[in-house]
């Protein structure tokens, strides 16, 4: 599963041939059908690049998000990694010394063009190895018709959200607020709420602080004011996956939920009139929102540093970054493309998400312990708001898991 919550369905394919140097790239599929498969994006980009670089051939294999991380891991474990991989995580490979540093690959203007918080998220021990490839943020989606019928306006605070959910419940709305804490993507909904409560997974030093007072208070509020009052729908939050919550919103059964850009197209296709506002916080709009990113990386095993760097400079040109972002309703990872998108009428639907990007916070993906912590959150966090659940107890257990994972590094 992509960090962005997107899934592809297509298996690998190759664009190959003979030349002086052949670079192998394994990439993830952001499409949901053959018509918008990432294969088409890469085929066009490679054709244009090879036309100007006849001595370099780019061999691209595209896999679904269900398979791509595993495919790359198997290649690495077999001692035959690709030259480049565009997948969900980079930190383990960086920690094992398998990746080129960004500064050894990219020209200075290209590396400097990455958005600052994305560059930082791509670092291990203050050195950038992960090159952000696609990004997204989250906002609160609401069903305009359902809120109008309930006589409420889009909330800016937690109390307003709870009051709106009460009104929606009174009108018979199935999911007044959909709270997907199921195992598919619980880490996203969790972090969104923690940030809106002035907390997060880590403190200012980057140390895990999952059971901080702010985080415990946030989940106590969710348990008492939303879940405990029957405002989150018929499926227990710990059993509700993000994909099912999105499908329910598109079916007109959800009043409010946190969502990313792909939900816009899904809702439009089903004829749901929706609005979007920044995530509500304790006393007003949340000052920080969740940002997510997927990553490009380059393996050192086969050499070809100069050729890989030249190709990646081309990949991260403003034109190519914009083309990809627009094709898949994602946010650009570079300052130049972000400015172009912000000033373009063509991209006005993405503006609410783009506005959030500068103040977004990403998962602690630079910690090799994150994979363990992430898996534990997905498995355990729903219990914090369930019947008899203890927010302090569950968050304390997750903190202990994080501490052990950090110690084991």
């Amino acid at each position: 599963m992509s960090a962005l919550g997107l899934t592809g369905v297509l298996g690998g394919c190759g664009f190959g041939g003979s030349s002086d140097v052949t670079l192998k790239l394994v990439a993830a599929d952001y499409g949901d059908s053959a018509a918008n498969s990432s294969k088409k994006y890469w085929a066009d980009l490679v054709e244009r690049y090879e036309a100007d670089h006849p001595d370099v051939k780019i061999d691209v294999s595209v896999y679904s998000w269900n398979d791509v991380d595993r495919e790359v891991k198997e290649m690495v474990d077999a001692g035959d990694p690709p030259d480049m991989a565009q997948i969900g995580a980079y930190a383990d490979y960086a920690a094992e010394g398998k990746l080129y540093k960004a500064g050894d690959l990219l020209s200075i203007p290209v590396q400097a063009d990455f958005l600052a918080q994305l560059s930082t998220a791509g670092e291990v021990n203050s050195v950038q190895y992960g090159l952000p490839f696609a990004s997204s943020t989250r906002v609160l989606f609401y069903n305009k018709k359902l809120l109008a019928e309930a006589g409420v306006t889009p909330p800016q605070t937690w109390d307003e959200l709870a009051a709106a959910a009460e009104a929606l419940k009174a009108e018979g709305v199935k999911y007044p607020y959909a709270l997907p804490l199921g195992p598919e993507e619980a880490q996203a909904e969790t972090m969104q709420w923690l940030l809106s409560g002035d907390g997060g997974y880590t403190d200012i030093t980057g140390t895990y602080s999952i059971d901080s007072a702010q985080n415990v208070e946030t989940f106590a509020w969710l348990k008492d004011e939303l879940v405990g009052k029957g405002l989150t729908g018929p499926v227990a939050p710990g059993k509700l996956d993000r994909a099912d919550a999105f499908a329910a919103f598109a079916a007109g059964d959800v009043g409010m939920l946190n969502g990313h850009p792909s939900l816009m197209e899904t809702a439009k296709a089903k004829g749901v009139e929706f609005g979007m506002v920044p995530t509500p916080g304790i006393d007003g709009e949340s000052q920080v929102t969740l940002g997510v990113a997927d990553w490009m990386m380059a393996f050192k095993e086969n050499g070809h540093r100069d050729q890989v760097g030249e190709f990646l400079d081309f990949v991260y040109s403003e034109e190519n970054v914009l083309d990809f972002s627009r094709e898949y309703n994602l946010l650009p990872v570079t300052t130049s493309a972000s400015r172009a998108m912000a000033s373009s009428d063509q991209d006005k639907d993405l503006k609410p998400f783009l506005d959030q990007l500068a103040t977004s916070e990403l998962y602690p993906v630079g910690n090799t312990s994150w994979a363990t912590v992430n898996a534990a959150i997905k498995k355990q966090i729903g219990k914090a708001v369930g019947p008899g659940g203890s927010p302090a107890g569950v968050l304390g257990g997750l903190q202990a898991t994080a501490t052990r994972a950090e110690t084991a590094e």
Side-chain angles (χ1 to χ4, degrees):
M1 177 65 63
S2 158
L4 305 180
L6 307 172
T7 58
V9 296
L10 304 179
C13 72
F15 313 104
S18 61
S19 67
D20 294 345
V21 173
T22 297
L23 302 178
K24 182 172 178 58
L25 165 64
V26 175
D29 197 338
Y30 288 80
D32 56 12
S33 68
N36 69 347
S37 169
S38 296
K39 295 177 185 180
K40 292 187 175 182
Y41 172 80
W42 286 111
D44 173 71
L45 185 146
V46 165
E47 181 180 3
R48 289 185 285 115
Y49 185 78
E50 291 178 349
D52 291 332
H53 300 80
D55 58 335
V56 178
K57 198 75 175 177
I58 312 295
D59 180 359
V60 183
S61 297
V62 177
Y63 296 93
S64 80
W65 275 109
N66 295 328
D67 301 323
V68 68
D69 288 279
R70 185 189 70 250
E71 291 283 345
V72 171
K73 184 178 187 303
E74 289 176 355
M75 293 175 192
V76 173
D77 289 347
D80 186 28
D83 296 282
M84 295 164 283
Q86 186 273 297
I87 52 178
Y90 68 88
D92 284 349
Y93 299 130
E96 294 167 0
K98 297 182 183 296
L99 302 181
Y100 282 116
K101 300 174 184 177
D104 289 340
L105 293 169
L106 303 175
S107 65
I108 292 174
V110 170
Q111 187 178 5
D113 197 26
F114 288 129
L115 293 166
Q117 73 271 37
L118 298 181
S119 289
T120 300
E123 294 178 353
V124 173
N125 296 325
S126 301
V127 177
Q128 185 181 359
Y129 296 92
L131 314 180
F133 184 75
S135 66
S136 180
T137 58
R138 308 294 167 99
V139 298
L140 184 76
F141 281 72
Y142 63 92
N143 183 310
K144 289 184 174 181
K145 179 174 179 287
L146 295 181
L147 261 67
E149 289 174 349
V152 293
T153 56
Q156 294 182 314
T157 69
W158 288 1
D159 287 344
E160 290 176 1
L161 186 148
E166 288 274 16
L168 288 163
K169 181 183 179 183
E171 289 292 317
V173 175
K174 190 173 182 180
Y175 293 88
Y177 177 84
L179 183 66
L181 296 178
E184 178 198 352
E185 205 187 26
Q187 82 283 2
E189 184 75 11
T190 297
M191 184 164 171
Q192 186 94 348
W193 275 99
L194 297 184
L195 292 172
S196 72
D198 299 329
Y201 288 136
T202 58
D203 62 21
I204 195 170
T205 69
T207 302
Y208 285 109
S209 57
I210 299 173
D211 62 347
S212 69
Q214 296 97 315
N215 292 346
V216 171
E217 289 174 9
T218 294
F219 264 78
W221 187 90
L222 282 173
K223 178 178 170 59
D224 295 340
E225 302 301 325
L226 289 186
V227 181
K229 294 183 178 179
L231 303 180
T232 54
V235 180
K239 303 287 188 183
L240 181 64
D241 282 336
R242 188 268 314 165
D244 294 333
F246 278 20
F249 185 84
D253 292 332
V254 175
M256 303 172 288
L257 84 170
N258 290 322
H260 53 61
S262 73
L263 182 55
M264 294 191 298
E265 297 303 316
T266 305
K268 286 177 184 176
K270 296 290 188 177
V272 173
E273 290 190 25
F274 62 89
M276 300 178 292
V277 293
T279 304
I282 298 176
D283 300 315
E285 293 178 1
S286 177
Q287 298 302 301
V288 185
T289 190
L290 170 65
V292 291
D294 296 327
W295 302 94
M296 178 75 78
M297 62 213 69
F299 289 88
K300 296 190 294 187
E301 180 77 20
N302 302 322
H304 308 314
R305 185 188 74 176
D306 292 342
Q307 292 90 343
V308 169
E310 288 179 8
F311 175 66
L312 290 177
D313 274 357
F314 179 72
V315 168
Y316 284 103
S317 70
E318 180 180 323
E319 174 191 357
N320 289 328
V321 172
L322 277 173
D323 284 349
F324 183 84
S325 301
R326 286 167 171 163
E327 176 66 26
Y328 298 105
N329 278 322
L330 295 168
L331 302 182
V333 295
T334 62
T335 301
S336 59
S338 294
R339 287 173 178 165
M341 183 174 279
S343 62
S344 171
D345 287 341
Q346 175 183 348
D347 304 303
K348 62 180 183 298
D349 285 351
L350 285 170
K351 193 172 188 306
F353 301 93
L354 195 61
D355 289 345
Q356 300 288 313
L357 190 56
T359 58
S360 65
E361 183 174 319
L362 281 76
Y363 304 126
V365 290
N367 296 349
T368 56
S369 59
W370 171 240
T372 299
V373 176
N374 183 23
I377 291 168
K378 290 180 178 181
K379 184 177 180 180
Q380 300 292 335
I381 195 64
K383 299 175 183 177
V385 297
S390 165
V394 171
L395 294 177
L398 291 170
Q399 178 64 32
T401 297
T403 301
R404 286 193 299 271
E406 283 280 273
T407 303
E409 286 187 15

